[in-house]
Amino acid sequence: MTAIDKAIYSMTGYGKGIAELNGLKVTVELKSVNHRFLDLNIKLPKVFTFAEDILRKTIQGAISRGHIDVYVNYEDTRESKKTLSIDYDLAEQYVLASKQLQEKGIAQNNFFTAELLRMPDVVVQVAKEEDEELLVNLLTSACKAAIENINAMKLREGAMLVKDIRVKIENILTTIPKIQELAPKTLQEYRTKLEERVKEYLKDVPIDEVKLINEVAFYSDKFCTDEEVTRLYTHINHFKSVLDDGGAVGKKLDFIVQEMNRETNTIGSKCNNAQITECVVYMKSEIEKIREQIQNLV
């Protein structure tokens, strides 16, 4: 697997691309935020209406997730944007009308070319027909440049997010052993308190050690967190493995974080100990921060 394959991208970024040729200039801007799927909001000048599907497919081929606003600007700085069109039939009618007026003695024949060109609708300006192939090439070139720039920004931000996530994962890993260390002490504390309470109630009556042991064993089974801790370690290892593999990891990590949070909640509900509760609250806080971070990962 190459370094590019392992790259993890954020869904937040901005990229701009420009393509110019023969007095034509196309600018494409991409602005992306997090979204469950790929959601494109494209705003095109009228001249590019025919190319919207081409632009959409170009972006879809390079970006997999995120809400992306796409802005396209078109500039035509060519000196001549229009051509002249002559209506020859209308011109002939003007000439014929001039001759008829002359024949009837109403007017002299002074209808020259200059006058004819000034007559309404004889000569009209027509916008040049755009070269669609050229426009498509400019649009796709500008779009690819914008994609390259936005991906560079998303890659930098993705690397920062992953770095921060790894720190929080290590914080959780250093907290779990504290819970494992405190759990047996909690059981011993429960036995001591239970024994003291029984002695207080029974006073001089001997304690039934078998029943006491059974009660402690029941408590131990009910409040044992070994399975939850083991599963939490498994989820964390899986989480780190997905990060190491790279690529589109956002949805996978989101599922794993939900499982991590579930196991942590169960540990908290089982352990009636202030120190363990403090550890659980800290881990849940770190897990929530991780969850927020991965919402921005592709």
Side-chain angles (χ1 to χ4, degrees), residues 26-296:
V26 178
T27 304
V28 176
E29 294 179 272
L30 304 177
K31 183 179 179 181
S32 176
V33 294
N34 62 314
H35 195 274
R36 290 182 62 192
F37 309 103
L38 179 62
D39 179 39
L40 298 178
N41 177 33
I42 299 176
K43 296 182 180 180
L44 286 170
K46 187 176 180 181
V47 68
F48 281 111
T49 302
F50 75 96
E52 179 174 347
D53 190 53
I54 296 173
L55 179 63
R56 188 177 297 274
K57 288 180 178 178
T58 301
I59 297 172
Q60 289 173 341
I63 299 176
S64 59
R65 288 181 68 197
H67 171 83
I68 303 177
D69 289 315
V70 184
Y71 303 97
V72 178
N73 185 54
Y74 174 63
E75 297 178 46
D76 185 350
T77 59
R78 293 174 296 182
E79 291 184 2
S80 177
K81 302 178 184 179
K82 297 182 178 180
T83 59
L84 297 179
S85 176
I86 299 176
D87 189 333
Y88 292 101
D89 290 336
L90 182 59
E92 287 180 3
Q93 292 181 43
Y94 278 122
V95 173
L96 178 59
S98 176
K99 288 181 179 180
Q100 290 174 345
L101 290 171
Q102 181 183 1
E103 290 172 358
K104 292 182 178 293
I106 298 176
Q108 294 182 348
N109 184 15
N110 59 353
F111 199 65
F112 301 105
T113 302
E115 284 76 14
L116 181 61
L117 292 174
R118 286 196 292 267
M119 299 307 294
D121 299 327
V122 172
V123 179
V124 294
Q125 291 185 336
V126 180
K128 287 184 178 180
E129 185 175 345
E130 299 291 357
D131 184 341
E132 290 190 354
E133 183 178 355
L134 174 60
L135 291 179
V136 168
N137 288 338
L138 289 172
L139 180 64
T140 53
S141 295
C143 182
K144 289 178 180 178
I147 290 171
E148 183 177 347
N149 290 329
I150 194 175
N151 278 342
M153 181 176 179
K154 290 165 66 178
L155 181 60
R156 291 193 299 270
E157 184 171 334
M160 292 173 61
L161 289 173
V162 169
K163 182 179 179 180
D164 186 64
I165 288 171
R166 289 189 185 278
V167 170
K168 290 175 171 52
I169 285 291
E170 292 304 316
N171 291 341
I172 295 171
L173 283 173
T174 57
T175 305
I176 297 175
K178 297 178 183 178
I179 295 175
Q180 291 176 297
E181 181 181 352
L182 289 168
K185 295 180 181 178
T186 303
L187 182 61
Q188 182 58 44
E189 288 173 1
Y190 175 78
R191 178 190 173 98
T192 302
K193 288 180 180 180
L194 180 62
E195 189 172 355
E196 290 175 353
R197 192 176 298 117
V198 170
K199 286 181 178 179
E200 182 181 347
Y201 283 121
L202 296 180
K203 297 185 182 301
D204 298 330
V205 178
I207 297 176
D208 189 333
E209 286 292 334
V210 175
K211 289 184 178 181
L212 181 62
I213 292 172
N214 287 339
E215 175 62 26
V216 173
F218 174 77
Y219 177 88
S220 176
D221 289 338
K222 185 177 180 180
F223 296 98
C224 179
T225 60
D226 290 350
E227 291 185 11
E228 287 76 18
V229 168
T230 299
R231 284 196 293 267
L232 184 56
Y233 272 125
T234 301
H235 295 321
I236 291 174
N237 289 334
H238 186 197
F239 188 100
K240 294 172 68 175
S241 176
V242 171
L243 274 184
D244 292 339
D245 289 341
V249 299
K251 291 182 178 180
K252 294 178 183 178
L253 295 180
D254 187 52
F255 174 77
I256 299 172
V257 164
Q258 291 180 41
E259 297 303 310
M260 289 168 56
N261 191 58
R262 182 178 291 111
E263 301 301 338
T264 303
N265 281 332
T266 304
I267 293 171
S269 64
K270 281 188 172 185
C271 294
N272 186 22
N273 177 280
Q275 290 177 290
I276 293 179
T277 300
E278 185 179 337
C279 291
V280 168
V281 169
Y282 175 73
M283 290 198 302
K284 288 182 64 176
S285 175
E286 293 296 276
I287 290 172
E288 178 59 24
K289 292 174 185 176
I290 292 172
R291 189 192 67 80
E292 291 176 358
Q293 298 283 48
I294 64 177
Q295 297 304 311
N296 288 319

